[in-house]
Amino acid sequence: MGEYLHKKMSAGTFNRDLKRFMQQLEALQGRLDRLYHCVNAANDQSHLLPSAFKELGIASEELQVAIEELLAQAEQSAAMQLELAAERQRYQHLFQFLPHAYLETDTNGKIIEANQAAANLLNVSQRFLVGKPLVQRA
């Protein structure tokens, strides 16, 4: 259960970081726009160009760090998805081949899932059990 919460929190962290990345891009666009207007409005542009290049360099480095963080988180998310799929497959395998009959129902008693032992016990295919009520009401 702890790993599940950690994975869920990691996805939330990824979304927050993605929003932060977008905000950084918007800030970069704003700074570039201001520099462009300053250079165009100034009579003597020679002192503004080094400042503009320095600002572009800083923004580029910030963008590179943000991209690297997002790539690392995307890789981590992909690895977690693979791990989750493997755990789900393991659960399905265990559920299907339990020696005792098991039925999973919703709160209304409708069968959501049945293992092979339940199908054998009831002498019906598993696919015909799913969606059926556990108890017929008169």
Side-chain angles (χ1 to χ4, degrees), residues 6 8 26 29 32 52 59 62 64 73 77 93 104 110 131:
H6 174 71
K8 208 159 174 62
E26 289 171 4
Q29 290 170 341
L32 288 174
E62 290 173 353
Q64 183 64 35
Q73 289 179 359
S77 178
H93 180 77
E104 180 183 352
K110 188 186 326 180

Side-chain angles (χ1 to χ4, degrees), residues 17-29 31-32 54-72:
D17 287 346
L18 187 58
K19 287 179 185 176
R20 186 179 58 142
F21 175 69
M22 294 301 293
Q23 290 170 344
Q24 288 175 340
L25 279 177
E26 289 171 4
L28 170 63
Q29 290 170 341
R31 292 190 332 225
L32 288 174
K54 184 176 180 180
E55 186 75 20
L56 282 172
I58 291 169
S60 175
E61 289 174 11
E62 290 173 353
L63 189 57
Q64 183 64 35
V65 168
I67 289 170
E68 289 171 5
E69 288 175 359
L70 284 173
L71 288 174

Side-chain angles (χ1 to χ4, degrees), residues 88 91 95 102-115 126-127 129-134:
R88 173 118 176 101
Y91 161 77
F95 181 80
Y102 282 94
L103 298 171
E104 180 183 352
T105 63
D106 64 10
T107 55
N108 297 321
K110 188 186 326 180
I111 299 171
I112 298 171
E113 192 171 8
N115 69 354
Q126 284 175 276
R127 63 188 173 114
L129 289 172
V130 175
K132 300 292 189 272
L134 189 58

Side-chain angles (χ1 to χ4, degrees), residues 35 37-54:
L35 283 172
H37 289 298
C38 287
V39 168
N40 280 340
N43 293 332
D44 181 18
Q45 298 179 4
S46 61
H47 72 284
L48 289 177
L49 286 177
S51 174
F53 283 121
K54 184 176 180 180

